[in-house]
Amino acid sequence: LKSSVIIAKLFMAGIMANINSNLDRDTIELLAQEFSKEVTIREQADVEDEVEALHEEEDKDEDLAPRPPIITILGHVDHGKTSLLDAIRKTQVTEGESGGITQHIGAYTVSTPSGLEVTFIDTPGHEAFTEMRARGAQVTDIAVIVVAADDGLMPQTIEAINHARAAGVTIVVALNKIDKDNADQDRALRQLAEQDLLPESWGGSIGVVPCSAITGQGIDDLLERMALEAEVLDLKANHFAKASGTVMEANLSEGRGVTATVLVQRGSMAVGDILLAGSGYGRVRQMLDWRGQAVSLAGPSHAVEITGLSELPGAGSRFHVVDDLKQAASAAAQRQHKTREKELAARNTTTTLASLFSDLAESKKKELRLIIKTDAAGSLEVVTKSLNDLSTDEVKVSIIHSGVGCVTTGDVSLAEASDAIILGFHVIADPKARRAADERNVEINTYTIIYEMLDEVKQALSGLLDPETVQEVIGHAEVRATFRSSKVGTIAGLYITDGQVVRDCFMRLTRDGVIIHEGKVNTLRRFKETVREVRAGYECGLTIEDWQDVREGDLFEFYQRRKQARSLA
């Protein structure tokens, strides 16, 4: 059957479709009846489900062995999460973070002084990184909520508490910065109680450990508390199963290709294992720990950086070790196909009158076109969402392309063709791209701190907003007398009580406290001379455009209109 015949039949049935539309089973069966055809629908074997099923088998008790606890550090930006981790790990991670804030998920497996092996996950605190915080909470056993004693609970602290609660994990509170002069521990405890986190010192069950990442005070107590909570949880895992877990972060690096930070949650992963992660697959070529040292085996609760995947996996996606490369390739292909189908389905929505009006309103919006390049998949997810959230009813952000890696000549060509601006987050343009951008007048802006990027995009969007008209009151007057003229009609004799009146300005006429007319001053005279303005304390006569009903005792308010630039809230 010709596609045009099928499209026409669908149209008669009230379904708007084109040659690229995907049809569901019910629609296909309906068409088969209409055309008196027999249709056989075959379900493709779902390799992806087979892989998932292999890793959902219940572990036998004899296969289970103790595993290190996974501890996530959560809290508000600049409350000392990474500094606290530094004090435990004796490293200086915050010095390498842009603006002193963590903008990626850091996963580290370290040994504490007491000999307890622990995997720490350090999450960003800035409000834009909500998804990353949620991801950290979902893979953890113990959530350490960091609260600065000088600041108390802040919006991202409360959000972190909610993430930890939703994940059903044990909560420990690290009351940091107690060494500061303005530290107020009682206020912080009171605020925690308001969030239903009643401290043990107040008769509750939440462990609150006062500490200072700078002086080291209370760090040993915090580690002891973590060890106690881990002992109570009695954490175990199967160390001998095929490895599975979560992709914490992924990026594209020159020379190494796709790299991914993964957290093994079940089984053990070795160099040479075949991995399926998101829509990527491949043989693990190299594994590095957080120090950059090569490791050959990663067991449950261990975080490692791996190379060898064919595609960049989405941050937060699951990974599995599979038996052979062919099985992994089939499952990855199915995932890519499902993603494409979802994208097509999103585009092929049914056209209705409401959607037509919505599309018309959307087309009238002014837009800022952007191309986004970041260093990691998690950052790309956050930056894209944060920028899209800046769109309003009048202006919108249109991200025409986004990806992981440095800015290339291809990005510059696309920006030139689509009149877009290129934004790089933790990446730069390669030399060829910089030369091409200079030649073609394409703007490339790079950032290392997310809120600086968002502020500049807000300013650019503000420039697209139509200016608003504001009224500036310039004076008031009282009608002392009225005169009739055969040529100009009613003339109002005024006394200017404050400010001034200017020829051609706007006015409001009020009587008994009610505005009865708004208009414009037509003529303005003082005695017999036409004047441009009359100031307070003087008398004058004026006429109003298209209005004659003026009486003694009426009050005038004079104002001027001017255009004023607007900004996004």
Side-chain angles (χ1 to χ4, degrees):
L1 295 168
K2 289 184 177 179
S3 59
S4 57
V5 176
I6 296 173
I7 290 168
K9 185 65 74 174
L10 289 169
F11 179 78
M12 297 300 291
I15 300 169
M16 303 294 288
N18 58 41
I19 195 168
N20 294 317
S21 297
N22 288 310
L23 304 179
D24 58 30
R25 180 189 287 267
D26 292 341
T27 306
I28 291 168
E29 289 174 351
L30 177 68
L31 284 171
Q33 290 176 6
E34 288 290 330
F35 290 110
S36 302
K37 300 288 183 184
E38 186 177 330
V39 176
T40 303
I41 298 175
R42 290 192 182 91
E43 293 290 345
Q44 186 179 10
D46 201 326
V47 183
E48 186 182 352
D49 286 348
E50 291 175 10
V51 171
E52 292 280 356
L54 285 173
H55 291 269
E56 286 177 1
E57 295 175 359
E58 285 193 19
D59 295 314
K60 296 176 183 177
D61 290 340
E62 57 266 27
D63 294 332
L64 297 176
R67 66 169 176 84
I70 301 170
I71 298 173
T72 301
I73 310 292
L74 298 163
H76 191 76
V77 65
D78 202 31
H79 273 201
K81 298 180 297 298
T82 309
S83 299
L84 203 59
L85 196 53
D86 291 345
I88 295 168
R89 296 187 288 124
K90 299 294 187 290
T91 61
Q92 293 298 314
V93 173
T94 47
E95 289 183 0
E97 291 284 357
S98 303
I101 63 169
T102 301
Q103 306 192 101
H104 301 82
I105 284 183
Y108 317 93
T109 301
V110 298
S111 293
T112 63
S114 62
L116 176 70
E117 201 172 43
V118 174
T119 293
F120 286 104
I121 299 173
D122 181 19
T123 63
H126 188 267
E127 61 183 346
F129 293 90
T130 302
E131 290 83 359
M132 282 189 170
R133 282 195 297 280
R135 195 176 303 134
Q138 286 162 4
V139 298
T140 193
D141 302 310
I142 301 169
V144 176
I145 308 293
V146 179
V147 179
D150 58 336
D151 265 359
L153 265 66
M154 300 294 277
Q156 274 71 61
T157 320
I158 295 169
E159 186 191 90
I161 291 168
N162 292 334
H163 284 318
R165 276 199 185 121
V169 299
T170 301
I171 295 175
V172 174
V173 176
L175 193 57
N176 195 23
K177 302 188 181 182
I178 59 169
D179 56 308
K180 286 207 165 186
D181 294 336
N182 58 341
D184 188 344
Q185 295 188 40
D186 288 337
R187 181 188 63 174
L189 294 175
R190 195 165 53 249
Q191 290 174 331
L192 286 167
E194 289 169 1
Q195 295 297 318
D196 293 330
L197 294 181
L198 198 62
E200 285 178 340
S201 58
W202 286 23
S205 59
I206 301 298
V208 179
V209 183
C211 56
S212 168
I214 302 300
T215 65
Q217 181 185 350
I219 298 298
D220 288 341
D221 295 337
L222 183 61
L223 289 171
E224 260 184 57
R225 183 70 198 207
M226 291 177 190
L228 176 65
E229 297 290 355
E231 191 178 330
V232 170
L233 290 171
D234 190 26
L235 301 167
K236 291 182 178 181
N238 186 342
H239 290 244
F240 306 103
K242 288 186 175 66
S244 61
T246 303
V247 177
M248 302 304 294
E249 188 56 280
N251 53 48
L252 199 60
S253 62
E254 196 172 344
R256 298 180 68 204
V258 174
T259 64
T261 300
V262 300
L263 179 67
V264 180
Q265 292 171 281
R266 178 179 183 262
S268 297
M269 181 171 62
V271 172
D273 280 350
I274 297 163
L275 208 67
L276 171 67
S279 57
Y281 71 97
R283 199 178 291 277
V284 178
R285 289 201 306 262
Q286 186 184 42
M287 289 197 302
L288 303 176
D289 64 13
W290 65 274
R291 298 182 189 88
Q293 297 175 352
V295 292
S296 57
L297 190 70
S301 301
H302 282 75
V304 287
E305 184 183 73
I306 63 165
T307 61
L309 294 175
S310 60
E311 298 281 340
L312 205 67
S317 59
R318 297 284 297 168
F319 77 84
H320 302 91
V321 168
V322 297
D323 291 324
D324 62 85
L325 214 54
K326 187 177 178 182
Q327 185 188 32
S330 298
Q334 280 190 5
R335 289 178 177 180
Q336 289 173 352
H337 180 67
K338 285 179 181 178
T339 303
R340 281 197 299 271
E341 278 190 337
K342 284 180 183 177
E343 289 172 355
L344 282 170
R347 290 196 202 112
N348 297 329
T349 52
T350 305
T351 302
T352 63
L353 191 61
S355 67
L356 283 173
F357 279 120
S358 175
D359 291 344
L360 186 62
E362 194 71 20
S363 68
K364 289 182 178 178
K365 284 187 183 180
K366 293 182 178 178
E367 65 177 355
L368 177 65
R369 296 183 177 185
L370 300 174
I371 292 172
I372 310 298
K373 299 301 288 285
T374 69
D375 62 330
S379 299
L380 183 64
E381 174 190 1
V382 171
V383 168
T384 302
K385 183 183 182 302
S386 299
L387 290 172
N388 280 325
D389 287 346
L390 296 179
S391 296
T392 69
D393 293 338
E394 295 177 70
V395 291
K396 68 173 180 177
V397 172
S398 292
I399 299 175
I400 60 174
H401 173 66
S402 61
V404 173
C406 67
V407 179
T408 64
T409 51
D411 299 322
V412 174
S413 298
L414 180 58
E416 182 190 27
S418 55
D419 195 22
I421 297 170
I422 299 173
L423 302 183
F425 184 67
H426 278 280
V427 296
I428 60 171
D430 62 38
K432 287 183 180 178
R434 285 199 298 273
R435 285 196 297 271
D438 291 339
E439 291 167 3
R440 302 175 189 182
N441 288 325
V442 170
E443 186 178 347
I444 301 176
N445 295 324
T446 58
Y447 306 87
T448 56
I449 302 175
I450 191 167
Y451 50 76
E452 288 181 359
M453 172 191 280
L454 297 179
D455 286 345
E456 289 200 14
V457 172
K458 273 185 185 178
Q459 289 177 11
L461 288 171
S462 298
L464 294 177
L465 290 171
D466 292 326
E468 62 181 340
T469 301
V470 295
Q471 296 181 0
E472 185 178 357
V473 175
I474 59 172
H476 296 86
E478 179 185 340
V479 179
R480 294 283 176 89
T482 59
F483 310 94
R484 292 290 302 172
S485 166
S486 57
K487 291 182 180 179
V488 296
T490 303
I491 301 170
L494 304 181
Y495 175 76
I496 311 301
T497 54
D498 65 78
Q500 62 181 343
V501 56
V502 179
R503 191 172 67 239
D504 296 330
C505 71
F506 296 91
M507 48 69 62
R508 294 186 189 90
L509 178 61
T510 61
R511 185 176 299 155
D512 299 326
V514 178
I515 298 173
I516 61 171
H517 179 68
E518 284 198 54
K520 199 173 183 183
V521 173
N522 192 7
T523 60
L524 180 63
R525 293 192 176 191
R526 181 160 164 72
F527 301 112
K528 292 187 178 182
E529 292 183 12
T530 299
V531 292
R532 166 142 186 82
E533 63 179 44
V534 179
R535 296 186 176 276
Y538 291 95
E539 294 178 335
C540 63
L542 62 74
T543 60
I544 306 168
E545 278 186 2
D546 304 322
W547 187 260
Q548 303 297 322
D549 181 18
V550 182
R551 303 176 192 174
E552 286 186 30
D554 288 347
L555 300 177
F556 279 81
E557 182 174 69
F558 303 106
Y559 62 92
Q560 290 178 323
R561 292 175 179 167
R562 60 183 177 83
K563 298 285 187 183
Q564 178 175 285
R566 296 161 60 200
S567 61
L568 291 179

